[in-house]
């Protein structure tokens, strides 16, 4: 999906024509139609592929803090609804955990969710989602589906009309139930309030934001807090021993799932209290009583040191982004995930990831800069230079620069950065006790970094550091593997006169991307030889043994051994190595002048021969067992006609073998590809075979292909 057309920026909110908020009305109407208990509307950012929450209803916005800003590529239901222009339905807690684990980590509660795009045929304006309690059926009804789809379409039409009238939509106040703060208003009548006041157990009412709107005398006594100090506050703020994320989590669970939830908590020094919460769409009623026989409960009490626990919203953000970073493999994966997940979540518009090597700064990756030269001028900068990036990398201390004036005052001698950004967060990336880099987040406007935001960013820097350390190690191993593989395989093929040759090697998609597949073309006179083989395994041992076998085949060919002798000699050589590994192999001696090839096979897949008329035949060759099994094994030969224009396809089993696919069917498919495309130039034909083979696409094994064509003019 391409970026949506830019919408006009106007300093007043779009309305429905009567001055009423457009987004809030649309959301409230939709929730009422489908009996949902919460929801939100997102709008596309004007100049970046990001969805921004414009209004939320039914739950505090803090519940959705990790998703205030969502990159379009994020694996989140709302983003998927926009990307695929369709309704996305998640029927419950288990489905959420399976399909969207990042959401499930932050909100591990029973609830159902539907997200729909808000888009016309030409323009994407955003998206809408609604949620239901966990009791909702796991299947979305046809009526609900139609209502949600229509709601997204109607809102898109209204936003389109507003845009044409230069009334640009923007955020609106969230829709939370306005509960009266008085006792009579909360409980119905003054007499009912008096009755509740006489109850022997505590009773408290919390609004959707978790604030206490009523508490009877027993509740205040049990909590050991004066009633006036309790009203209007959140219990985990006004009651010190309830300041634990676990207790706030129970409140969140009750509101999102609309299920009765409970927990026990230790009131110092040794009193256990039981809390039971009864949710509704307007808040919670909490019953508080003394708990008995719970002294053996482990882990229910807050930390013994009395230290304030981190806010749960911060934990939610960290959990969500940690899940994203576990997906990173290489350094560029880390950079891309920080750009897609971290930067939008904290409101940053650009980023740079820096590393060090040889006493110099190196730019590992960047996103969001219109002119890449602005960033790349720092590549190779000595670490002794006084810049924010080098300072943070050397000291491991984060730096938060809230304006360009502050940057220029603290670092007057740094190289100029003619970019449009106005604030920066420099986060040291420290893993295993050592700095591995620096993450720089840039902001378009001056930005104040309060203490809680600095704590969040520093925590995120720690997780990015772990991901970057793994990625740097992976890239180094990958580079080593590629270098070793390239050194062991021939750099070029030199076919004899009258023969064309092309080869391809693809590593398996898992592991170190190095294996034991090999091929070679030995241009001896007067007859040339070709070989292809596969040493079992996908590691350095297999690759090293492959190099030794290839060298042995070359040596035995050069001294003039016949094909069957080359195979026997190579077999004994492999056994002498004592590596306990086996190898398949196909060896052939080419005689283009006489139009023939003599072949010998050791447990290798049969080659395919495409004749000049386009027919393809699977060659049933004589042969012996795998190399490395029996020192006395013999390898008989088969002579095959190689008429001018014929194409001989040699390959390893990675090209045709994949789980659940019959080998015969795979060979038929490969033969059809060769028949249809055999007239292509040989290099293009090699690309076609490896590109369209189902097994080669999945690549659970290495793939090697060697193609030989007898020239018609040869």
């Amino acid at each position: 999906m391409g970026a949506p057309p830019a919408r006009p920026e106007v300093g007043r909110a779009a309305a429905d024509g009567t001055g009423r908020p457009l987004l809030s009305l649309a959301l409230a109407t939709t929730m009422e139609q489908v009996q949902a208990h919460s929801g939100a509307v997102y709008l596309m950012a004007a100049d970046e592929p990001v969805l921004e929450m414009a209004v939320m209803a039914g739950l505090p916005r803090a519940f959705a803090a990790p998703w205030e800003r969502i990159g379009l590529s994020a694996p989140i239901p709302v983003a998927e609804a926009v990307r695929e222009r369709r309704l996305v339905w998640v029927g419950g807690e288990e489905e959420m955990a399976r399909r969207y684990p990042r959401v499930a980590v932050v909100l591990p509660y029973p609830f159902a969710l539907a997200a729909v795009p808000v888009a016309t045929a030409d323009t994407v304006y955003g998206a809408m989602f609604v949620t239901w309690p966990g009791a909702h059926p796991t299947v979305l009804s046809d009526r609900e589906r139609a209502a949600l789809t229509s709601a997204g379409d109607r809102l898109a039409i209204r936003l389109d009309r507003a845009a044409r009238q230069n009334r640009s939509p923007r955020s609106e106040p969230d829709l939370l139930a306005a509960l009266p703060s008085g006792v009579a208003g909360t409980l119905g009548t003054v007499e009912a309030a008096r009755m509740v006041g006489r109850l022997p157990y505590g009773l408290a009412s919390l609004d959707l934001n978790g604030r206490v709107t009523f508490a009877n005398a027993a509740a205040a006594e049990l909590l050991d807090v004066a009633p006036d100090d309790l009203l209007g506050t959140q219990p985990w703020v006004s009651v010190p021993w309830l300041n634990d994320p676990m207790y706030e989590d129970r409140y969140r669970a009750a509101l999102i799932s609309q299920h009765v939830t409970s927990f026990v908590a230790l009131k110092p020094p040794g009193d256990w209290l039981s809390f039971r919460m009864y949710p509704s769409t307007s808040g919670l009623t909490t019953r508080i009583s003394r708990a008995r026989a719970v002294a053996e409960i482990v882990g229910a009490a807050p930390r013994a040191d009395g230290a304030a626990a981190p806010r749960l919203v911060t934990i939610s953000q960290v959990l969500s982004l940690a899940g994203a970073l576990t997906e990173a493999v290489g350094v560029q994966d880390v950079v891309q995930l920080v750009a897609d997940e971290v930067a939008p979540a904290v409101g940053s518009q650009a980023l740079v990831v820096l590393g060090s090597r040889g006493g110099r700064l190196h730019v590992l990756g960047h996103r969001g800069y219109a002119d890449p030269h602005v960033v790349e001028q720092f590549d190779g900068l000595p670490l002794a230079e006084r810049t924010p990036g080098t300072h943070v990398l050397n000291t491991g201390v984060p730096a938060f620069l809230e304006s360009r004036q502050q940057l220029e005052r603290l670092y007057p001698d740094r190289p100029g950065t003619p970019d449009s950004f106005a604030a920066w967060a420099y986060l040291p990336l420290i893993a295993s006790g050592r700095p591995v880099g620096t993450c720089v987040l840039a902001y378009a406007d001056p930005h104040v970094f309060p203490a809680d935001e600095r704590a969040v960013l520093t925590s995120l820097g720690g997780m990015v550091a772990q991901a970057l350390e793994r990625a740097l190690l992976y890239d180094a191993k990958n580079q080593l593997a590629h270098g070793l593989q390239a050194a062991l395989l021939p750099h070029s093929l030199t076919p004899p006169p009258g023969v064309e040759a092309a080869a391809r090697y693809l590593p398996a998609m898992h592991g170190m991307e190095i294996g034991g597949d090999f091929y070679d073309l030995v241009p001896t006179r007067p007859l040339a030889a070709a070989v292809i083989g596969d040493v079992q395994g996908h590691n350095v041992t297999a690759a090293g043994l492959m190099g030794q076998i290839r060298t042995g085949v070359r040596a035995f060919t050069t001294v003039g051994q016949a094909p069957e002798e080359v195979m026997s000699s190579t077999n004994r050589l492999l056994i002498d190595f004592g590596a306990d590994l086996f190898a398949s192999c196909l060896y052939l001696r080419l005689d283009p002048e006489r139009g023939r090839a003599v072949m010998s096979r050791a447990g290798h897949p049969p080659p395919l021969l495409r004749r000049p008329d386009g027919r393809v035949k699977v060659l049933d060759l004589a042969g012996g067992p795998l190399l490395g099994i029996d020192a006395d094994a013999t390898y008989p030969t088969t002579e095959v006609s190689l008429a001018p224009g014929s194409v001989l396809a040699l390959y390893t089993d990675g090209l045709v073998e994949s789980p659940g696919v019959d080998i015969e069917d795979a060979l038929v498919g490969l033969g059809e590809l060769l028949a249809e495309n055999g007239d292509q130039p040989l290099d293009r034909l090699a690309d076609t075979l490896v590109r369209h083979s189902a097994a080669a696409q999945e690549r659970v094994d290495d793939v090697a292909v060697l193609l030989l064509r007898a020239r018609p003019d040869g």
Side-chain angles (χ1 to χ4, degrees):
M1 184 192 73
R7 299 186 300 277
E9 293 293 330
V10 180
R12 56 194 178 98
D16 65 352
T18 63
R20 296 178 296 178
L22 170 59
L23 304 178
S24 303
L25 282 173
L27 180 59
T29 301
T30 303
M31 290 171 57
E32 183 177 1
Q33 286 178 333
V34 298
Q35 296 298 297
H37 83 293
S38 73
V41 174
Y42 285 84
L43 295 177
M44 285 289 301
D47 55 356
E48 53 184 335
V50 171
L51 292 166
E52 298 177 330
M53 185 179 290
V55 64
M56 188 167 184
L59 290 173
R61 184 174 289 228
F63 283 21
W67 308 290
E68 286 270 2
R69 287 168 51 87
I70 300 174
L72 281 185
S73 61
I76 303 295
V78 172
E80 185 173 311
V82 172
R83 289 196 306 270
E84 300 185 6
R85 297 286 196 99
R86 65 175 180 87
L87 184 148
V88 174
W89 164 250
V90 185
E93 185 178 11
E94 291 185 3
E95 186 177 358
M96 184 69 77
R98 185 176 68 256
R99 295 173 54 193
Y100 305 102
R102 298 186 198 173
V103 178
V105 165
V106 180
L107 300 175
Y109 316 119
F111 69 97
L113 178 146
V116 293
V118 177
T120 63
D122 303 320
T123 306
V124 175
Y125 286 96
M128 176 193 303
F129 81 79
V130 295
T131 70
W132 292 265
H136 188 283
T138 57
V139 177
L140 191 66
S141 70
D142 292 340
R143 182 190 66 80
E144 291 170 327
R145 184 177 295 274
L148 290 168
T149 303
S150 298
D153 293 342
R154 285 197 306 272
L155 180 55
I157 292 172
R158 291 170 182 167
L159 290 173
D160 192 58
R161 185 184 305 128
R164 290 198 300 270
Q165 297 172 357
N166 289 328
R167 291 183 291 111
S168 178
R170 63 181 186 182
S171 297
E172 298 174 5
D174 290 342
L175 301 176
L176 290 177
L179 297 181
S181 58
V183 173
T186 303
L187 299 176
T189 66
V190 173
E191 183 56 36
R194 290 172 180 167
M195 180 185 69
V196 170
R198 293 192 291 268
L199 291 175
Y201 52 81
L203 199 65
S205 179
L206 279 65
D207 66 14
L208 290 177
N209 283 309
R211 294 186 295 259
V212 178
T213 58
F214 168 78
N216 66 358
E221 181 180 353
L222 287 168
L223 296 176
D224 200 18
V225 176
D228 290 344
D229 294 336
L230 197 59
L231 293 177
T233 70
Q234 295 171 319
W236 44 90
V237 174
S238 56
V239 182
W241 46 272
L242 285 178
N243 187 11
D244 187 285
M246 188 190 76
Y247 305 141
E248 186 183 358
D249 177 68
R250 295 295 82 206
Y251 142 78
R252 289 156 56 94
L255 283 185
I256 293 176
S257 68
Q258 292 291 292
H259 289 174
V260 176
T261 62
S262 60
F263 63 89
V264 292
L266 176 63
K267 172 187 171 183
D271 294 333
W272 288 90
L273 298 183
S274 172
F275 295 79
R276 191 167 181 83
M277 293 177 287
Y278 301 85
S280 72
T281 56
S282 59
L284 294 170
T285 298
T286 304
R287 185 183 189 275
I288 310 170
S289 60
R290 296 188 184 278
R292 298 176 182 177
V294 295
E296 69 278 8
I297 293 179
V298 178
R303 297 187 308 205
D305 59 8
R311 302 302 301 131
L312 189 61
V313 169
T314 298
I315 292 174
S316 300
Q317 291 172 320
V318 171
L319 286 172
S320 176
L321 298 170
L325 288 169
T326 60
E327 300 172 7
V329 178
V331 170
Q332 291 310 309
D333 294 333
V334 174
V335 175
Q336 192 60 52
L337 276 168
V338 173
D340 292 342
E341 305 290 341
V342 178
V346 300
S348 169
Q349 286 73 47
L351 69 96
V352 183
V353 177
L354 303 170
S356 65
R357 186 173 64 252
R360 293 184 177 273
L361 201 66
H362 289 278
V363 177
L364 301 178
H366 58 85
R367 299 290 187 276
Y369 286 84
D371 183 3
H373 297 294
V374 170
V375 179
E376 291 165 3
Q377 65 175 315
F378 290 97
D379 196 67
L381 192 70
L383 293 181
E385 290 282 344
R386 193 171 184 276
T387 68
T390 56
H391 178 74
V392 170
L393 194 58
N394 288 328
T395 64
V397 178
F400 300 95
L401 305 173
E402 300 179 346
S403 66
R404 183 170 289 275
Q405 291 78 11
Q406 185 181 14
L407 171 66
E408 293 173 349
R409 184 176 69 254
L410 295 176
Y411 299 94
D413 300 327
R414 84 193 197 293
T417 52
D419 57 51
S420 58
F421 298 107
W424 299 264
Y426 285 80
L427 308 176
L429 305 180
I430 300 174
S432 304
R434 64 180 184 86
V436 296
T438 301
C439 179
V440 186
L441 299 172
Y443 298 78
D445 301 310
H447 186 87
V448 176
F449 297 93
D452 58 346
E453 185 175 352
R454 294 185 182 209
V456 171
L457 290 172
T458 303
S459 298
L460 293 177
M463 289 186 296
V464 172
Q466 296 293 329
L468 182 61
E469 183 184 43
R470 293 193 304 269
L472 288 168
L473 182 60
Y474 174 85
D475 282 353
K477 288 183 176 179
N478 201 38
Q479 186 176 8
L480 174 64
H482 280 295
L484 178 59
Q485 193 82 56
L488 294 175
L489 292 174
H491 296 289
S492 61
L493 298 176
T494 307
V499 174
E500 298 176 27
R504 294 293 183 270
Y505 172 82
L506 296 176
M509 299 184 76
H510 305 285
M512 280 189 62
E513 295 196 356
I514 186 170
D517 288 19
F518 66 96
Y519 61 86
D520 201 358
L521 190 59
V522 187
T524 54
R525 300 287 181 175
L527 305 179
V531 64
I532 191 166
D534 181 4
V535 179
Q536 69 178 114
H538 307 95
N539 51 37
V540 174
T541 301
L545 192 60
M546 171 266 283
Q548 291 173 305
I549 292 176
R550 177 174 161 250
T551 301
V553 170
R554 251 184 187 265
F556 299 137
T557 300
T558 303
V559 297
Q561 288 189 355
E564 62 272 20
E565 294 173 333
V566 170
M567 294 291 275
S568 297
S569 298
T570 306
N571 176 50
R572 289 191 294 271
L573 177 67
L574 182 56
I575 292 174
D576 289 343
F577 286 151
D580 294 328
L581 293 178
F582 309 132
S584 69
C585 187
L586 176 64
Y587 180 88
L588 59 93
R589 189 67 56 83
L590 290 166
D591 189 351
E593 290 187 1
R594 298 176 58 190
R596 67 173 191 150
V598 178
M599 305 185 185
S600 183
R601 185 162 66 107
H604 199 80
L608 301 182
L609 177 64
R610 183 186 188 273
R611 301 186 187 280
D613 59 5
R615 290 182 300 163
V616 174
K617 179 181 180 181
V618 179
L619 298 180
D620 184 16
L621 304 178
L626 292 169
L627 302 179
I629 294 179
D630 180 6
D632 297 324
T634 59
Y635 298 91
T637 60
T638 303
E639 183 174 311
V640 176
S641 174
L642 199 63
S646 299
V647 176
L648 193 60
L650 317 179
Y651 55 91
T652 57
D653 54 10
L655 187 68
V656 292
E657 290 185 0
S658 60
V661 178
D662 185 80
I663 186 65
E664 297 295 334
D665 294 337
L667 279 175
V668 169
L670 182 63
E672 291 174 349
L673 273 176
L674 185 59
E676 295 171 4
N677 301 278
D679 292 328
Q680 293 180 350
L682 218 52
D683 278 314
R684 189 185 304 171
L685 176 59
D687 290 334
T688 300
L689 294 183
V690 298
R691 185 185 305 119
H692 294 289
S693 167
Q697 290 174 18
E698 297 176 7
R699 293 222 303 280
V700 296
D701 195 2
D702 306 317
V703 174
V705 175
L706 177 61
L707 301 181
L708 303 170
R709 172 183 283 152
R711 291 178 180 170
D713 57 352

